[in-house]
Amino acid sequence: MAEFSTRYSFGGDEFIFAELSEEMNLEVNFRGIAITRKLKEKAFPGILDICPSNASYLVRFNPEEIDAHELLAELKQLEREVANLDEIEIRSRLVDVPVLFQDPWTHEAVMRFRDRHQDPESTDLEYAAQINGFTSEEEFIQAMTDTPFIVSMIGFVPGLPFCFQIARQEEQIEVPKYVRPRTFTPERTFGFGGAFSVIYPVQGAGGYQMFGIAATPVFDREQRLPDFRDSMVFPRQGDIFRYRSVTREEYDAVRKRVEAGTFEYRKQEIAFTPYDVLRDPEKFSEMALGRLYSD
């Protein structure tokens, strides 16, 4: 197969779109993170917005302040500068995300929309466990909670984190989306589609498989909680989430702290290179979880 070369496209007078790969994987996502962070650091006059995605990014600029072809040349130079991922350091956060699996709220939605699912006779968890080769839902949940996930992009709706499992690609969990999308998904639903886990920041339509509900928000419009003082959106690209299965009792206790405005995520700062992850994802995951829960 021929090696893929980044496709650059102009969008009107104000946009450049860069497609880094036709395939979504951790290596490509790390390259996109490195390019867009370097672009932000350079603070070229005339750049209005930088929107990184899973395997691409979009730049909005003011053509009266920066020439489109000069900007394109800068983007190509940045791509050359990050060719060696060993030399790139990513600073981000390790975050504990409590999730109640098999909860009553998403289960009600699961049963309401069975006519739109590949397997109307099973639940989303039963179906996903089966097609991924697990013998029980419990084994499947453990596989999702034993390894952390990296936030690969934020988007679709404000605050929604798309997350890749930090595992070898052939070992990553994958599930198809619903055959037809739902018209209702509860707020904070923990969902899965393709190779991505998500947390729905608000109630709305959706097509990802529904496995549980996060006890904590990823979007706080009123910015009541301490973690949202600087932004109404909590996740950042490059964050590493550990989804931790909790009991109904712990879920209720966390919800009380959220409603009282006192909840803060358990988190730790971390710096790593993409090579640390790609060379040995199991060892990196073990290190990351050990650091997250060390006091």
Side-chain angles (χ1 to χ4, degrees):
M1 181 181 293
E3 186 174 348
F4 184 87
S5 297
T6 300
R7 295 190 186 114
Y8 294 94
S9 308
F10 290 109
D13 297 330
E14 299 183 359
F15 297 91
I16 293 179
F17 175 70
E19 183 183 8
L20 301 172
S21 172
E22 291 179 331
E23 181 181 4
M24 296 181 186
N25 57 48
L26 283 170
E27 182 176 352
V28 172
N29 188 249
F30 284 137
R31 194 147 46 94
I33 290 175
I35 292 171
T36 52
R37 289 192 177 188
K38 276 183 171 286
L39 180 61
K40 186 176 181 180
E41 289 169 3
K42 287 182 178 290
F44 291 118
I47 291 184
L48 304 176
D49 202 3
I50 304 169
C51 303
S53 185
N54 288 315
S56 61
Y57 65 91
L58 180 75
V59 181
R60 184 187 176 207
F61 61 97
N62 182 344
E64 295 183 355
E65 292 189 57
I66 186 167
D67 179 81
H69 293 281
E70 290 181 7
L71 176 57
L72 178 59
E74 292 288 350
L75 298 180
K76 291 182 177 180
Q77 175 59 31
L78 287 177
E79 184 176 356
R80 288 191 287 272
E81 291 178 10
V82 305
N84 186 355
L85 289 175
D86 296 357
E87 299 174 355
I88 304 299
E89 183 180 73
I90 296 175
R91 293 184 174 274
S92 67
R93 305 174 297 181
L94 300 163
V95 183
D96 174 81
V97 182
V99 176
L100 178 64
F101 289 93
Q102 299 174 301
D103 65 287
W105 305 283
T106 57
H107 181 72
E108 181 179 351
V110 163
M111 302 313 294
R112 179 177 162 190
F113 293 100
R114 295 325 289 160
D115 61 325
R116 302 171 187 232
H117 196 270
Q118 292 87 347
D119 185 356
E121 302 303 317
S122 68
T123 66
D124 292 8
L125 262 174
E126 291 169 344
Y127 168 74
Q130 179 186 5
I131 65 170
N132 278 279
F134 294 93
T135 57
S136 69
E137 296 147 80
E138 289 72 22
E139 281 187 9
F140 181 64
I141 291 170
Q142 184 174 352
M144 288 187 290
T145 54
D146 275 357
T147 56
F149 289 66
I150 186 165
V151 177
S152 57
M153 65 167 280
I154 312 294
F156 187 67
V157 293
L160 188 149
F162 286 81
C163 304
F164 262 132
Q165 190 176 21
I166 297 180
R168 300 183 194 283
Q169 191 167 4
E170 63 274 16
E171 298 173 358
Q172 287 178 330
I173 292 168
E174 291 189 23
V175 293
K177 294 188 286 187
Y178 272 41
V179 175
R180 290 185 292 124
R182 302 176 299 273
T183 55
F184 172 76
T185 306
E187 177 184 316
R188 292 177 282 103
T189 289
F190 173 72
F192 222 109
F196 297 101
S197 66
V198 299
I199 297 174
Y200 285 76
V202 294
Q203 174 184 311
Y208 279 29
Q209 308 283 339
M210 296 182 287
F211 299 153
I213 192 164
T216 53
V218 291
F219 176 74
D220 179 4
R221 187 178 59 184
E222 307 300 328
Q223 297 183 255
R224 294 174 53 250
L225 296 170
D227 286 314
F228 295 82
R229 283 178 184 147
D230 296 330
S231 171
M232 62 180 69
V233 170
F234 175 74
R236 303 172 190 162
Q237 189 188 39
D239 279 349
I240 296 174
F241 282 4
R242 190 281 173 104
Y243 301 115
R244 183 170 56 84
S245 179
V246 298
T247 62
R248 177 62 189 268
E249 289 72 23
E250 181 174 355
Y251 174 88
D252 289 341
V254 171
R255 289 304 303 158
K256 286 182 179 177
R257 290 162 56 200
V258 170
E259 290 163 9
T262 60
F263 174 83
E264 289 189 59
Y265 278 101
R266 183 184 189 116
K267 50 190 181 297
Q268 298 280 358
E269 300 292 323
I270 186 173
F272 62 94
T273 71
Y275 183 68
D276 295 334
V277 179
L278 299 172
R279 177 186 55 186
D280 193 337
E282 293 87 358
K283 184 177 179 181
F284 179 83
S285 296
E286 183 179 354
M287 179 278 297
L289 295 182
R291 181 165 181 171
L292 175 59
Y293 297 109
S294 65
D295 291 315

